[in-house]
Amino acid sequence: MIKKVVLLICIVVTMGACSPKAEVGEEADVIIYGGTAAAVIAAVQVKKSGKSVIVVSPDKHLGGLSSGGLGFTDTGNKGVIGGLARDFYHRIYMKYQDSTAWQWQKQAEYGNKGQGTPAMDGDARTMWIFEPHVAEEVFEDYVKAFDLDIRRDTWLNREDGVEKEDGRIVSIKTADGKVFRGKMFIDATYEGDLMAAAGISYIVGREANSQYDEKWNGIQTGVLHHDHYFKSNISPYKIPGDSTSGLLYGVSGDDPGKYGEADKRVQAYCFRMCLSNHPENRVPFPKPENYNPDNYELLARVFASGWHETFRKFDPIPNRKTDTNNHGPFSTDFIGMNYDYPDGSYEERKEIIKAHEDYQKGLLYFLANDPRVPEAVRKEMAQWGLAKDEFTDNGNWPHQIYVREARRMIGDYVMTEHDVFGEREIKNPVGMGSYALDSHNTQRYVKPDGFVQNEGDIGVSPKKGPYQIAYGALVPKKEACENVLVPVCISSSHTAFGSIRMEPVFMILGQSAALAAVRAIDQGLSVQDVPYTDLKKDLLKEQQVLENPAQKTSI
């Protein structure tokens, strides 16, 4: 009889372990989804505040673009970069104080060039220009120093992986069946996947100028900023001047739309490539398996028109390397080939990313080898290659594509160009931005005169210097969800996001989101109801900059 009772108990216990109620998952005060710089910084702040945190990262490598090739930092006014963001750049500075960091170049030989500022600021003990692997080392240092719980290569189940009760997220489930429960959640992805899966409203593309009474939103046909447009009349047809011969690769035959109207197009993506011209640290550009030189005929015509700016954005970073960005009318931006990325499935995104990789690798091979490229350019390109000591587990290719913009939340407050221009009062700032409105091209089309042109590139500086970013832009509307914050895909118009979308700003907002999450937990409130007077004290204690500082070159 005793044996039967024991057996029955064992059966009940076993059945209970397999029941849905037993799938409680792992718990933490705050669950962060994402592997970006904002995600790591947010996790550090949660731990500093005495709360538990789990970072569920779809990425194996931490840091997003900050460790993925964007080493020539878009700083804007450095005086508004405070808190843990500034600590990150201080840690970069300290890495380069070690002589062993200068393997391929003497520190004295480095030009110390940044975006309108010295790369290495000795007075402030910060460094704003760096190699990808050094940035990743800093993020991993944070992991070790704060004992962060990181679940790498762990992807959200976007179909039914978000459990909500009474307007709050209870748990998230990943594609491999893991469950993570928390009191607060932070979506720190470039794509806004947690936000979208939680049923929070968002937008993809450009609003009409009329929606928020803006000037630089919507379709921008005829507006030509920077140098990312065709300055000469170049035919888009396979046989120049013959519209019946078909369009060249990369040129759209669709109507571009009317100026100022809304559309669903997304500004172009690319990889921020780390190149080297050191003979011992250079991997020659290989010929891609699917290489088609005809895909670059439009660039050949740009060269034939007299364009000579091939190497203008080979921005120098330490150790004879570059952060190579898009520049000119035909470059690394794969214009018009990412529209389906924001809402695409994981598999669809993977295909888009691969297409971008093939395009850029083919571009490099074309520049180094094709006879249509001027001999001087081919000779110079032959001196360059992929940096051998970067992205060593990915064929020296960046592990992060530059998702300049994907989804944008429609939240409690929508940042617009009026905020960037200082035309509206922000009553609850949680950080500051300072960069220009900066959108890359969204389409390449045929003008009525039969020539090719790009559209969507915008570059307009804030009129009154640095501007405040509202707390309401980090939180959804209360009826949508009460316990999630979104510091990357924030509530913003397309044109305002063009300024906000800089890596230092994402770090700033990641830290502020974490402080708000902790405050909401401590006071038992929704994120929308966190008293700003209390949050402001927390922000200032952590050295966030909330007001426009005096303009000092030493900052």
Side-chain angles (χ1 to χ4, degrees):
M1 180 65 180
I2 294 177
K3 291 183 178 179
K4 289 183 178 180
V5 172
V6 172
L7 178 61
L8 180 60
I9 292 173
C10 291
I11 292 172
V12 170
V13 170
T14 303
M15 290 177 64
C18 297
S19 68
K21 290 184 178 180
E23 194 180 52
V24 295
E26 300 183 66
E27 296 187 13
D29 293 317
V30 181
I31 304 297
I32 299 173
Y33 184 60
T36 61
V40 178
I41 293 299
V44 170
Q45 183 58 61
V46 172
K47 288 297 290 284
K48 284 186 66 179
S49 300
K51 302 298 183 187
S52 60
V53 61
I54 298 175
V55 178
V56 181
S57 171
D59 309 306
K60 296 178 182 178
H61 297 270
L62 298 179
L65 259 297
S66 287
S67 61
L70 204 168
F72 198 73
T73 306
D74 303 306
T75 52
N77 185 317
K78 296 182 297 183
V80 303
I81 301 172
L84 286 171
R86 180 165 282 265
D87 180 71
F88 170 81
Y89 296 104
H90 168 65
R91 288 170 179 254
I92 292 287
Y93 174 86
M94 294 305 296
K95 291 284 186 182
Y96 283 104
Q97 294 306 297
D98 187 340
S99 60
T100 62
W102 299 90
Q103 183 178 2
W104 306 109
Q105 180 183 44
K106 294 180 180 179
Q107 182 175 346
E109 296 174 350
Y110 177 58
N112 207 29
K113 173 189 174 185
Q115 287 204 45
T117 182
M120 184 179 295
D121 189 339
D123 293 337
R125 294 173 64 81
T126 52
M127 188 163 179
W128 308 92
I129 312 298
F130 45 83
E131 299 160 277
H133 78 271
V134 173
E136 188 168 1
E137 286 177 8
V138 171
F139 288 118
E140 294 296 346
D141 288 347
Y142 279 129
V143 173
K144 294 176 183 177
F146 291 90
D147 192 25
L148 300 181
D149 187 349
I150 311 287
R151 310 302 174 89
R152 303 171 196 257
D153 197 19
T154 304
W155 300 72
L156 177 68
N157 175 347
R158 291 163 55 194
E159 300 302 319
D160 55 4
V162 177
E163 180 186 357
K164 294 175 68 177
E165 291 181 6
D166 300 324
R168 300 173 74 91
I169 299 175
V170 176
S171 67
I172 63 172
K173 180 181 289 187
T174 56
D176 57 359
K178 295 184 176 70
V179 175
F180 298 92
R181 297 181 179 274
K183 299 172 185 175
M184 289 287 152
F185 293 80
I186 296 175
D187 184 339
T189 63
Y190 290 123
E191 296 84 4
D193 282 345
L194 174 55
M195 168 191 72
I200 296 168
S201 297
Y202 63 87
I203 185 173
V204 173
R206 299 179 283 189
E207 299 93 345
N209 276 330
S210 59
Q211 183 166 344
Y212 298 117
D213 190 28
E214 294 177 298
K215 179 179 180 180
W216 305 109
N217 208 335
I219 297 168
Q220 297 286 313
T221 46
V223 177
L224 304 173
H225 289 178
H226 295 118
D227 292 311
H228 307 318
Y229 62 91
F230 293 89
K231 298 180 180 180
S232 302
N233 288 332
I234 294 178
S235 176
Y237 303 112
K238 292 180 179 178
I239 299 175
D242 182 359
S243 62
T244 66
S245 63
L247 291 168
L248 291 175
Y249 184 76
V251 181
S252 171
D254 295 338
D255 185 332
K258 296 181 180 179
Y259 172 82
E261 287 186 343
D263 68 359
K264 297 297 183 183
R265 299 181 179 98
V266 180
Q267 62 173 303
Y269 298 169
C270 71
F271 286 93
R272 297 287 287 251
M273 301 177 298
C274 186
L275 307 182
S276 172
N277 66 355
H278 194 291
E280 297 178 30
N281 195 40
R282 179 180 62 85
V283 178
F285 303 125
K287 183 177 182 179
E289 291 183 5
N290 61 352
Y291 174 69
N292 184 353
D294 292 341
N295 291 349
Y296 309 97
E297 169 60 23
L298 195 56
L299 177 56
R301 295 182 188 182
V302 172
F303 280 126
S305 73
W307 186 73
H308 300 292
E309 300 176 19
T310 307
F311 302 99
R312 185 168 63 86
K313 288 298 291 178
F314 278 44
D315 291 318
I317 63 176
N319 282 307
R320 288 180 59 172
K321 299 177 190 175
T322 73
D323 166 359
T324 299
N325 193 15
N326 178 78
H327 58 288
F330 189 107
S331 185
T332 57
D333 277 2
F334 202 16
I335 299 173
M337 303 299 178
N338 61 342
Y339 300 159
D340 294 331
Y341 183 90
D343 280 321
S345 66
Y346 291 136
E347 188 58 35
E348 288 169 334
R349 288 179 184 169
K350 184 177 179 180
E351 292 175 359
I352 292 170
I353 292 170
K354 182 62 166 62
H356 279 69
E357 179 180 342
D358 290 344
Y359 166 78
Q360 277 188 238
K361 286 183 175 179
L363 174 64
L364 295 171
Y365 187 82
F366 177 85
L367 288 169
N369 295 279
D370 198 281
R372 289 170 291 176
V373 176
E375 183 179 1
V377 173
R378 283 183 279 131
K379 184 177 180 179
E380 175 67 17
M381 283 298 296
Q383 308 301 312
W384 291 94
L386 301 178
K388 187 184 295 185
D389 60 350
E390 300 288 351
F391 314 119
T392 55
D393 65 345
N394 197 42
N396 309 113
W397 192 256
H399 43 70
Q400 174 68 60
I401 193 171
Y402 195 174
V403 179
R404 289 189 173 93
E405 186 174 3
R407 301 182 179 101
R408 301 187 310 281
M409 179 172 64
I410 302 175
D412 224 25
Y413 184 92
V414 179
M415 294 285 294
T416 73
E417 66 183 43
H418 300 291
D419 298 298
V420 174
F421 292 156
E423 297 169 354
R424 295 196 300 191
E425 180 185 2
I426 299 294
K427 297 181 180 180
N428 54 359
V430 290
M432 299 192 74
S434 62
Y435 209 76
L437 303 178
D438 185 9
S439 172
H440 281 232
N441 283 304
T442 61
Q443 60 178 325
R444 178 173 289 143
Y445 69 102
V446 182
K447 297 185 297 177
D449 61 8
F451 296 109
V452 66
Q453 192 51 273
N454 297 332
E455 182 276 318
D457 185 79
I458 295 296
V460 182
S461 296
K463 299 176 181 178
K464 299 180 181 180
Y467 59 91
Q468 298 170 317
I469 299 172
Y471 175 61
L474 272 61
V475 300
K477 296 177 181 179
K478 193 171 184 179
E479 61 268 23
C481 189
E482 297 185 8
N483 68 332
V484 67
L485 296 110
V486 184
V488 177
C489 296
I490 77 166
S491 180
S492 166
S493 71
H494 158 74
T495 185
F497 191 78
S499 173
I500 295 167
R501 65 176 182 83
M502 304 304 156
E503 290 289 296
V505 178
F506 286 156
M507 293 188 217
I508 291 168
L509 299 182
Q511 182 177 14
S512 296
L515 286 166
V518 169
R519 176 61 65 175
I521 292 172
D522 285 343
Q523 296 186 277
L525 299 171
S526 69
V527 294
Q528 293 84 3
D529 293 334
V530 170
Y532 180 68
T533 52
D534 293 338
L535 178 59
K536 183 177 180 180
K537 292 177 183 177
D538 299 336
L539 293 166
L540 293 176
K541 180 181 177 182
E542 295 297 333
Q543 301 182 4
Q544 292 283 50
V545 180
L546 304 180
E547 296 180 357
N548 192 352
Q551 303 295 315
K552 295 181 180 180
T553 56
S554 62
I555 289 179

